[in-house]
Amino acid sequence: KQKPQTQQQTSTSSTTFYSKKPLTDPTFTLSTHQNQHNHQKFFLQLCTAAHITQPSRIQSLAWPTLIRNESTIIADQTGSGKTLAYLLPLLQKLHCGDLELS
């Protein structure tokens, strides 16, 4: 017989889903460019369009490594934001003309 979830269990799981980093964290943008402010503005526009007000834990872990062009494998539960974790840095790089194709 399963135990019903208590209020404490529910609130703990929802607080660990989101990162404490704000969307304006400098690691989420291309920092090597002279136009960093414009890149950050574009990134925030992407987040707004995707209805992201706070990054998920997996997004805040993935974005900096993907922006630095490091090979990255992302694994997390369904609905955690993995697709946007890959997609937003890609769109940012395409917009900035910084996509390195190999």
Side-chain angles (χ1 to χ4, degrees):
K1 194 173 184 180
Q2 280 188 327
K3 292 182 184 179
Q5 272 193 334
T6 65
Q7 182 67 20
Q8 184 178 11
Q9 289 172 328
T10 304
S11 65
T12 302
S13 64
S14 67
T15 57
T16 58
F17 179 79
Y18 291 102
S19 169
K20 293 182 181 180
K21 287 184 175 182
L23 290 174
T24 55
D25 189 289
T27 63
F28 297 159
T29 58
L30 300 167
S31 61
T32 59
H33 287 81
Q34 297 170 4
N35 262 342
Q36 183 177 359
H37 176 70
N38 291 338
H39 298 301
Q40 186 174 38
K41 184 178 175 183
F42 181 72
F43 183 74
L44 291 174
Q45 288 173 341
L46 288 173
C47 290
T48 299
H51 304 286
I52 297 174
T53 56
Q54 186 176 6
S56 69
R57 182 184 62 82
I58 197 67
Q59 290 165 343
S60 68
L61 292 170
W63 286 339
T65 57
L66 290 168
I67 287 170
R68 290 191 307 263
N69 287 331
E70 295 177 9
S71 296
T72 306
I73 296 175
I74 299 173
D76 205 353
Q77 65 187 1
T78 300
S80 62
K82 296 180 299 291
T83 302
L84 291 176
Y86 277 118
L87 188 59
L88 293 185
L90 175 66
L91 291 174
Q92 184 180 19
K93 287 179 165 290
L94 284 170
H95 175 77
C96 299
D98 191 47
L99 189 61
E100 294 177 13
L101 300 174
S102 47

